[in-house]
Amino acid sequence: MALQELRIVAPLATIHSLYYIAGLLGWRHGYSFRLTPRGPFSRRLEEDLAAGRAPRPPRSVARRLRLLVSRLCSGSGDYCGQRIVVAALLAAYSRLYPPPRSPVDYYLQTHPGVDPSVVRRVASILASLGIIQEAGKES
């Protein structure tokens, strides 16, 4: 993939991931997502973003998103967007049917070469905010 394509893909994957997570936080934005290796993707959201008409989340959801992003991105430098995509994928994997025993293990299996400590940290943050269930805990 050319460098120009990476610059375009990465921010869009992050935006789609934020909208996906916002839906999990209770915002009924009306977008449906399909799961791709790069994160959740919505064709309609892509069209709305291109046309400049993508909606903004309600304040309550925006506050929770800001909290999530600040926790995911503290000390991560250039990797903030990647951590947001990891968070969205972990949240999506925990909602698969049948669900994997561990979304973290499933993520690491499907994305070889990723630093396991980063994935575990992201999962811990998601669990602390109630977005996913902690590994080993049953409902």
Side-chain angles (χ1 to χ4, degrees):
M1 186 177 288
L3 185 58
Q4 278 185 324
E5 290 173 328
L6 281 173
R7 287 185 185 147
I8 293 168
V9 170
L12 286 177
T14 303
I15 292 168
H16 283 257
S17 294
L18 285 169
Y19 271 81
Y20 177 79
I21 293 169
L24 299 178
L25 295 174
W27 183 26
R28 298 188 189 276
H29 45 54
Y31 295 113
S32 60
F33 291 85
R34 65 182 165 92
L35 202 51
T36 74
R38 293 183 182 160
F41 177 80
S42 168
R43 174 71 62 199
R44 206 173 104 223
L45 174 58
E46 179 183 46
E47 292 167 356
D48 286 352
L49 288 168
R53 61 176 184 255
R56 297 178 67 116
R59 287 184 190 183
S60 62
V61 172
R63 260 192 312 274
R64 292 181 70 194
L65 277 175
R66 278 193 296 276
L67 173 64
L68 174 64
V69 170
S70 71
R71 291 188 62 196
L72 287 173
C73 297
S74 66
S76 69
D78 295 338
Y79 301 105
C80 181
Q82 291 174 348
R83 289 184 181 186
I84 292 168
V85 173
V86 170
L89 283 169
L90 285 171
Y93 293 160
S94 70
R95 287 157 176 80
L96 291 175
Y97 187 81
R101 255 178 216 216
S102 165
V104 170
D105 291 343
Y106 186 78
Y107 186 96
L108 293 172
Q109 179 184 6
T110 57
H111 297 84
V114 175
D115 182 354
S117 66
V118 171
V119 179
R120 286 188 194 97
R121 180 176 179 270
V122 169
S124 175
I125 291 167
L126 291 175
S128 74
L129 296 173
I131 297 171
I132 66 170
Q133 192 174 43
E134 283 187 80
K137 292 195 178 179
E138 299 294 322
S139 324

